Amino acid sequence: MRAFKLALLILALVPVTWVREPLPPPPSVSIVHRVDLMPGLRKSLPQTGELTLDGAWQFVSNTRRLATLSGLAQTDGGFVAVGDRGGILRFSRPDRPGPWRARLDRLAPFESREQGFPIDAESVFVEPATGKLVVGYEDAPMLERFSPDLSRGDKIMLPVLAEWPENQGPEAMTRLADGRTVIVGETYSRWFDLTRHPCLIFPGVPRSFEAPARAEFILPSGYRPSEMAQMPDGRMLMLGRYFSVGGFRSIILMFAPQDVRPGAVITPRVIARIDDPRIRDNFEGMTVTREADGSQMIWLISDGNEMVWAQRTLLLKLRVGPEVR
């Protein structure tokens, strides 16, 4: 794998932009379906700490790519989620009246990915001004920046990502309102310390070979960061997950954007725990919306890892009440 990372860096010495034909029109019948789980949960609503469960859905499909979703971001038309097999799911909000739309595509060009380019997408954010998608990958010292229709893409080579071990890459990544990009690794910063995780801070959307500032996050022991998002009111959230023989557990932590600065050691506060067996799963994606009434909703999506007998692709909607500070 290290040889693969080195090869990617060598290839990147010449900037590359690839282009493909526009995507075909959406199919008339979606291959992704939603199942509303709330009717079975309302009689005894799962407790989630300081947040309130406001919606829960399971996504099902006849393709394995649906069961690998890892990163989640908000778009003008709803949401976009990226996954481990180079898949991308774009879908409208399931809590709105009218037809629900969902479409599975591939992050292009898939032909080159079959020749060794990364397909394990772990994190994503959308640039507000351009609508471009910036995607982070497991086991690859690079990001990719896609046009909104996925017809064009640019590689952003970041050798600093090669410092992180295999399968412990940029799980958590977001763009802050002030323009900075923050990336947090799933790996641990120190040997025998299961609480500290490395953080990279870029002044804007990263540029190839740019050297970031560094910081550290401290999470409860054994929990690993799996996503990060900024709330509309400016506060920051981190999603953490823990796996044991008993299954997955997730936590949502809160911190201030000004805490993220060079050399900082940041200890976010836990505001929610997702451990009810009816809704817990391998949650890896998170984004936040502001509702018409001014409230804020946290959305989580899980990676089913193609283990349909043990895991599901779930979407949770959690309300942030005024008491959450």
Side-chain angles (χ1 to χ4, degrees):
M1 184 58 70
R2 294 188 182 277
F4 167 58
K5 292 180 179 179
L6 179 60
L8 279 178
L9 288 173
I10 294 173
L11 286 172
L13 291 176
V14 178
V16 174
T17 297
W18 48 259
V19 183
R20 73 170 184 184
E21 293 298 317
L23 293 169
S28 57
V29 178
S30 175
I31 61 171
V32 181
H33 305 280
R34 59 176 173 168
V35 179
D36 188 357
L37 303 180
M38 288 302 287
L41 297 173
R42 284 195 176 94
K43 289 184 179 179
S44 178
L45 205 63
Q47 298 302 303
T48 54
E50 298 178 34
L51 307 179
T52 302
L53 183 67
D54 201 73
W57 298 266
Q58 181 177 356
F59 292 170
V60 294
S61 176
N62 58 356
T63 174
R64 296 188 303 172
R65 280 182 289 136
L66 177 70
T68 62
L69 301 177
S70 298
L72 182 67
Q74 187 180 176
T75 66
D76 290 339
F79 299 107
V80 59
V82 296
D84 297 352
R85 288 184 169 271
I88 179 169
L89 175 68
R90 290 181 281 195
F91 59 99
S92 59
R93 288 184 54 150
D95 60 340
R96 296 285 172 83
W100 182 67
R101 295 180 175 84
R103 172 175 171 170
L104 271 169
D105 287 311
R106 289 191 185 275
L107 290 171
F110 191 73
E111 296 77 15
S112 65
R113 299 172 193 282
E114 292 176 333
Q115 298 168 13
F117 280 78
I119 63 171
D120 189 354
E122 293 292 344
S123 49
V124 62
F125 68 82
V126 177
E127 295 181 21
T130 65
K132 291 183 177 181
L133 278 66
V134 179
V135 179
Y137 295 96
E138 196 80 86
D139 299 331
M142 60 177 284
L143 308 178
E144 277 188 304
R145 193 181 190 191
F146 293 89
S147 59
D149 65 357
L150 306 182
S151 64
R152 297 178 62 87
D154 298 290
K155 293 186 298 185
I156 303 172
M157 303 308 301
L158 296 178
V160 65
L161 296 179
E163 298 175 6
W164 295 348
E166 296 177 11
N167 203 35
Q168 297 184 43
E171 286 278 347
M173 178 177 70
T174 195
R175 179 190 181 277
L176 277 61
D178 61 16
R180 291 180 294 166
T181 296
V182 180
I183 303 174
V184 181
E186 186 180 14
T187 185
Y188 297 114
S189 299
R190 307 179 186 183
W191 288 97
F192 308 113
D193 186 340
L194 303 184
T195 64
R196 292 176 179 259
H197 303 271
C199 171
L200 309 177
I201 308 168
F202 296 87
V205 174
R207 293 174 285 110
S208 284
F209 301 100
E210 183 176 8
R214 298 179 186 245
E216 277 189 326
F217 275 88
I218 296 181
L219 272 62
S221 183
Y223 279 88
R224 295 175 182 263
S226 59
E227 188 59 287
M228 190 166 35
Q230 187 167 29
M231 299 173 64
D233 66 11
R235 291 177 291 177
M236 299 295 301
L237 298 174
M238 179 171 286
L239 177 63
R241 62 175 173 174
Y242 176 88
F243 178 74
S244 68
V245 292
F248 285 96
R249 303 289 191 278
S250 299
I251 55 175
I252 300 175
L253 308 100
M254 181 176 286
F255 57 101
Q258 56 267 29
D259 294 339
V260 183
R261 60 187 186 277
V265 178
I266 307 154
T267 306
R269 182 178 73 87
V270 177
I271 63 169
R273 295 182 181 274
I274 314 296
D275 52 17
D276 188 301
R278 294 173 294 171
I279 59 170
R280 73 184 185 205
D281 215 296
N282 180 26
F283 289 103
E284 293 196 25
M286 175 175 64
T287 192
V288 190
T289 60
R290 186 183 290 279
E291 305 302 293
D293 62 2
S295 64
Q296 298 176 100
M297 296 289 181
I298 300 172
W299 298 79
L300 306 180
I301 199 164
S302 67
D303 178 355
N305 287 315
E306 301 182 80
M307 299 175 64
V308 294
W309 62 91
Q311 294 177 235
R312 299 169 291 172
T313 300
L314 299 181
L315 181 74
L316 301 186
K317 176 186 176 186
L318 301 162
R319 180 177 295 274
V320 183
E323 69 280 1
V324 180
R325 299 294 180 187

